[in-house]
Amino acid sequence: MQRNYLPTLIFAAYLPAASASQVNEPLLELTLDELRGLEINIASRSTNTVFAAPSSVSVFTREDLKRMGVRSLEELLNYVPGVQVSRSQSTGVADTPSFRGRRTDQNSAPSVLLLLDGRRLNSPVEGGGFFNKVNNLDWVKQIEIIRGPGSTLYGANAFNGVINVITQTQERQVNLRVGELDTRELSLQLSDELNVFGQTLSASVFAHKVSDAGENYAPFFNFIGTLKPTDDPQWRETLGINVALNNFYIDGYYSRSQRENFVEGSNQGNGVNRNLVTDHNWRIGYRGLSYDTWQLDLYADFMNSTKELFLQLLPIELAPIVWWTDGSNDEPIGGNYLRWAYYQLGGDGEINVDDDHLLSFGFEVRHEHVDRNPFHGNWDGELMESSQGTIIVPGDGITRGFWFRGELADFLPDSHRNIWNLWLQDEWQYNESAKITLGARYDNYEDFGAHFSLRGALVYAIAPETQFKVIYGDAFRAPTFSETRALIASNFVGNPQVQPEEIQTLDLVLQHKMESSQVEITWSKSKITQQIQLVPLDEEFQQGVTPFTPQNVSNHDLQSLEVEYAYNPIEHLIIRGNFTHFFDYSEVGLSENLASIALNYSLQRWNINLNGFYHSEVRSRIADGINFMEDIHLDDFWRFNFKLNYSVNDKLDTYVLAENVFDESYRTYDAANDLLQFGLPARGRILSVGLDWSF
């Protein structure tokens, strides 16, 4: 792709120089003491510092995100110990994280629970929450991450990772960015407080829109005998609303995004392929219902999500031969329409038993529902239905419903289930050196029954600057609607008897603080039982086509060593990084070693940040003597970003951002073949300029 460097060079040339009278404190610099004392809520659903949290946690503040220039949650996760993100395309283009050496072929990451201000974003159909790229970090206050199980506090899908994206509501800010690939990004955040009859009414709104024209890629996919170049344009729009009147509040979130072209569902179709996802997520709540030593927060949640996937089913050269019964030359378009929703009532509370005991508790009642999930396409629906699928001719627009062998073939029937849970946790400060956390949870699912989750943690200060943690937790992943109720039309048959996957994890953590540095070493050991895998049925769906069904068929061990460090060698310079080695992991599709580093230097009004992450080589295929005569490996790589920030004054910042600054060419694992065994290509270097204005 031809790239225009002129806007970046002009922008850099006209940045004003700082004078002595303009010097102020470094805008983006956090000291090591501040890093150690960061407060989080995710580890126990009560306030703890990162250093004292009873879980293996990572946290990124608003300042971290600003100085690093990372534009999406998915990219940021590569800087978390034990986490790697790969591009995927099996049910639509996505960027899918794998935590602690466990990979699944489902590209929404069902083993990781994704929360927005504590509200679930995971789909009960696909399991995960990464079907709608989270690339609107301008309104984020903090991102908190549990590395390991979290079902005792959060229930299903908190299997080996939990992420909570916490938004910043009290801001007045405009963010603008333009750059290569015709990148255009604009966000606006407004907030205000009013006195209404003696009561404080606060309100904030966040609006965001980002789009780009996509990278150009040489042919990399064999689409039924055709090799063609492609690109990957995308856009997203987001609206967030927060209104609070004393203790009452309403949080609303709307997002609509689309990714186009590229390869989706192992189909390539420039100008046809697109994945449109729309989310609505709302919470109404009351904070601080209290009496004496206890308090209770109540909430009601609603989420609705739709996904409209459009694919080119065949190369147009083959369409008149094997698709259209009248020999038409129209492009054959297919895909499906998916809508799901949940409704939830819940509460979280605390009881201060005494100075050493804090009891936390909570409950939820949730109803999950998915509409009938039909296939859709550009065929004549009336003719297809009247002929019971024997006549397939082009129609006007997109029709929902596909007939096969005289029957209406849907992916999923209309389905629902009810869920309720209770949890209890005790945080006990045993003495000045030791704190013990114990917790239990009961989840009841209408379709598969009950599940108990347990956790325990000991945080022990060996010395004032040295601390040891022993952390145990178990968790589960509930079977999805797809796994239990999918119909034969998808060549995938649901199994209503499949049971939840389970995991038991032990972490041993050593933390040590020094005057100018700190280090944390975590050894983690997990055992997954009742692992769900697709197995072939003893029947053919049609001649030569054998359907698959999910079954609990295997166990799997995970083991890793994670090292995190922060170093302040000179004033204004902080170096942070981590390294992970996996001893036991999913050896097909994941790297054995991971690393990341971030160098941040602040001087007067300037801030310079260079950050990058490393993935070692990935085994993509194992030689079987039939399909692959030798193992296939994807090359290791480092990917770096560079950001130069200049603070014009206390209200206005300008910056130059270079994503993938060294233009590293790399590929990530995909489970499909037809040349995808050699990986999906990633984007190259992208230069952009921007400004952040607070008012």
Side-chain angles (χ1 to χ4, degrees):
M1 163 171 274
Q2 184 176 4
R3 298 174 179 270
N4 184 4
Y5 295 86
L6 185 59
T8 302
L9 295 175
I10 293 176
F11 184 90
Y14 279 88
L15 283 175
S19 66
S21 62
Q22 292 175 314
V23 174
N24 63 356
E25 292 298 318
L27 176 65
L28 300 174
E29 184 175 343
L30 283 177
T31 67
L32 287 182
D33 285 338
E34 289 171 325
L35 291 173
R36 295 164 185 157
L38 285 174
E39 291 188 343
I40 61 170
N41 183 266
I42 193 171
S44 60
R45 297 183 81 152
S46 60
T47 301
N48 280 285
T49 65
V50 174
F51 194 68
S55 297
S56 297
V57 296
S58 298
V59 60
F60 295 89
T61 66
R62 188 177 182 88
E63 290 75 19
D64 290 329
L65 302 176
K66 186 171 184 178
R67 65 185 176 218
M68 291 175 69
V70 173
R71 304 307 305 171
S72 72
L73 172 64
E74 290 84 344
E75 181 184 352
L76 181 70
L77 291 176
N78 286 294
Y79 295 85
V80 176
V83 181
Q84 55 190 301
V85 179
S86 300
R87 204 170 200 181
S88 54
Q89 57 81 38
S90 61
T91 58
V93 178
D95 297 282
T96 307
S98 298
F99 273 56
R100 288 193 156 178
R102 198 216 182 187
R103 182 192 60 78
T104 66
D105 289 333
Q106 298 151 300
N107 68 344
S108 61
S111 298
V112 180
L113 179 63
L114 179 59
L115 305 170
L116 177 68
D117 292 321
R119 309 192 301 275
R120 295 177 66 94
L121 297 183
N122 287 56
S123 163
V125 179
E126 298 169 313
F130 287 86
F131 43 82
N132 191 349
K133 189 169 186 178
V134 185
N135 57 359
N136 53 329
L137 302 184
D138 290 329
W139 71 329
V140 170
K141 176 183 179 181
Q142 192 158 287
I143 296 176
E144 301 175 359
I145 301 161
I146 293 177
R147 310 188 315 271
S151 284
T152 305
L153 295 178
Y154 299 101
N157 302 107
F159 192 77
N160 62 347
V162 184
I163 303 165
N164 190 20
V165 179
I166 303 169
T167 59
Q168 178 83 19
T169 57
Q170 300 304 313
E171 288 287 335
R172 291 169 171 260
Q173 186 167 279
V174 173
N175 309 96
L176 174 66
R177 185 171 69 98
V178 296
E180 295 181 311
L181 307 186
D182 197 23
T183 298
R184 301 178 184 183
E185 184 170 15
L186 174 66
S187 65
L188 170 66
Q189 189 165 4
L190 302 172
S191 65
D192 205 352
E193 289 188 355
L194 301 173
N195 187 293
V196 180
F197 302 110
Q199 307 297 315
T200 301
L201 175 68
S202 63
S204 66
V205 61
F206 173 80
H208 173 265
K209 179 69 179 286
V210 61
S211 65
D212 65 58
E215 181 76 87
N216 290 332
Y217 301 92
F220 63 87
F221 175 57
N222 181 0
F223 183 35
I224 316 180
T226 63
L227 288 167
K228 295 181 180 180
T230 189
D231 56 10
D232 60 353
Q234 59 184 2
W235 58 264
R236 175 172 179 160
E237 54 193 21
T238 303
L239 179 66
I241 298 173
N242 175 272
V243 179
L245 179 62
N246 293 337
N247 292 352
F248 286 98
Y249 67 94
I250 299 174
D251 280 336
Y253 169 77
Y254 162 85
S255 177
R256 186 175 176 87
S257 68
Q258 181 165 285
R259 291 184 167 189
E260 303 171 14
N261 301 341
F262 204 62
V263 176
E264 301 199 37
S266 296
N267 293 265
Q268 183 174 332
N270 296 333
V272 175
N273 284 10
R274 59 188 176 97
N275 189 19
L276 176 63
V277 180
T278 306
D279 291 337
H280 301 262
N281 187 292
W282 293 87
R283 170 170 286 187
I284 300 174
Y286 182 87
R287 296 188 181 97
L289 186 66
S290 61
Y291 176 77
D292 196 16
T293 61
W294 63 268
Q295 70 172 41
L296 178 65
D297 298 340
L298 299 173
Y299 55 84
D301 295 343
F302 166 72
M303 181 166 182
N304 178 84
S305 179
T306 61
K307 181 171 77 171
E308 299 175 73
L309 179 64
F310 299 89
L311 305 171
Q312 183 169 323
L313 299 176
L314 295 166
I316 195 169
E317 299 86 352
L318 298 178
I321 303 171
V322 300
W323 185 253
W324 302 120
T325 55
D326 65 350
S328 297
N329 288 309
D330 291 29
E331 291 177 321
I333 300 173
N336 70 83
Y337 175 85
L338 172 65
R339 177 189 174 275
W340 60 267
Y342 74 74
Y343 311 84
Q344 178 171 274
L345 297 175
D348 297 329
E350 293 182 352
I351 302 174
N352 287 290
V353 180
D354 54 42
D355 291 341
D356 298 325
H357 279 276
L358 176 65
L359 282 178
S360 304
F361 63 91
F363 66 90
E364 288 174 337
V365 179
R366 184 166 70 251
H367 176 80
E368 297 177 341
H369 176 259
V370 58
D371 289 349
R372 167 183 161 247
N373 180 200
F375 290 95
H376 63 198
N378 63 336
W379 48 77
D380 187 312
E382 292 184 1
L383 272 177
M384 176 177 280
E385 181 176 357
S386 63
S387 68
Q388 296 190 320
T390 60
I391 299 177
I392 307 177
V393 298
D396 297 326
I398 299 297
T399 298
R400 290 180 188 169
F402 184 82
W403 289 76
F404 182 76
R405 291 185 175 179
E407 297 182 357
L408 183 62
D410 290 335
F411 177 61
L412 280 170
D414 185 274
S415 303
H416 62 85
R417 65 183 177 189
N418 295 315
I419 304 158
W420 63 272
N421 64 68
L422 299 168
W423 64 272
L424 178 67
Q425 177 181 260
D426 181 24
E427 296 174 82
W428 178 26
Q429 189 69 50
Y430 178 72
N431 56 37
E432 291 185 358
S433 301
K435 184 174 183 179
I436 299 170
T437 301
L438 299 172
R441 181 186 180 108
Y442 175 85
D443 286 89
N444 188 282
Y445 276 69
E446 182 180 8
D447 48 0
F448 67 78
H451 190 277
F452 287 94
S453 304
L454 299 172
R455 75 173 302 197
L458 168 65
V459 180
Y460 184 76
I462 302 171
E465 302 300 322
T466 306
Q467 188 166 260
F468 185 69
K469 298 181 183 180
V470 181
I471 304 166
Y472 170 82
D474 57 45
F476 73 105
R477 183 183 76 79
T480 65
F481 282 131
S482 295
E483 289 169 327
T484 58
R485 311 187 191 194
L487 301 174
I488 189 66
S490 61
N491 193 32
F492 170 91
V493 184
N495 177 7
Q497 304 304 316
V498 72
Q499 294 297 302
E501 295 182 321
E502 297 179 343
I503 189 171
Q504 298 82 39
T505 298
L506 176 66
D507 283 6
L508 302 179
V509 184
L510 179 65
Q511 300 169 307
H512 183 62
K513 301 183 292 185
M514 294 161 278
E515 182 178 356
S516 61
S517 63
Q518 66 182 39
V519 64
E520 179 173 310
I521 303 172
T522 303
W523 173 84
S524 178
K525 174 75 172 179
S526 298
K527 185 174 187 61
I528 300 173
T529 56
Q530 300 189 147
Q531 186 166 250
I532 298 174
Q533 293 181 346
L534 293 178
V535 299
L537 288 173
D538 295 329
E539 60 182 87
E540 288 190 349
F541 172 44
Q542 61 186 46
Q543 186 174 1
V545 178
T546 301
F548 288 77
T549 190
Q551 292 185 10
N552 302 101
V553 297
S554 65
N555 301 331
H556 186 36
D557 291 334
L558 304 175
Q559 185 180 182
S560 62
L561 182 68
E562 302 165 354
V563 180
E564 299 176 82
Y565 59 87
Y567 180 42
N568 187 193
I570 60 173
E571 189 178 7
H572 307 311
L573 174 65
I574 289 185
I575 303 171
R576 299 173 66 183
N578 62 71
F579 171 79
T580 301
H581 174 75
F582 295 109
F583 302 97
D584 299 309
Y585 64 107
S586 300
E587 294 186 11
V588 174
L590 294 181
S591 298
E592 184 178 19
N593 297 301
L594 305 171
S596 74
I597 189 169
L599 293 83
N600 195 84
Y601 182 71
S602 296
L603 181 63
Q604 298 177 349
R605 295 184 178 272
W606 296 91
N607 193 87
I608 302 171
N609 190 279
L610 179 68
N611 60 81
F613 59 87
Y614 170 77
H615 293 181
S616 65
E617 72 171 15
V618 170
R619 179 184 291 178
S620 177
R621 297 296 186 275
I622 298 176
D624 58 10
I626 302 173
N627 298 305
F628 306 103
M629 303 310 296
E630 58 183 23
D631 288 359
I632 297 176
H633 291 87
L634 308 181
D635 292 340
D636 64 339
F637 65 88
W638 274 99
R639 182 190 185 279
F640 281 92
N641 297 327
F642 173 79
K643 186 178 181 183
L644 174 65
N645 191 96
Y646 178 77
S647 180
V648 178
N649 53 46
D650 292 340
K651 300 293 186 180
L652 178 63
D653 287 356
T654 58
Y655 63 85
V656 177
L657 173 64
E659 301 171 81
N660 193 2
V661 61
F662 300 121
D663 204 20
E664 179 75 6
S665 177
Y666 64 95
R667 296 191 176 205
T668 57
Y669 170 83
D670 190 84
N673 292 317
D674 298 314
L675 299 182
L676 294 186
Q677 62 266 33
F678 300 107
L680 285 169
R683 289 184 167 187
R685 179 173 51 236
I686 305 172
L687 302 179
S688 60
V689 297
L691 62 85
D692 302 321
W693 176 45
S694 300
F695 58 93

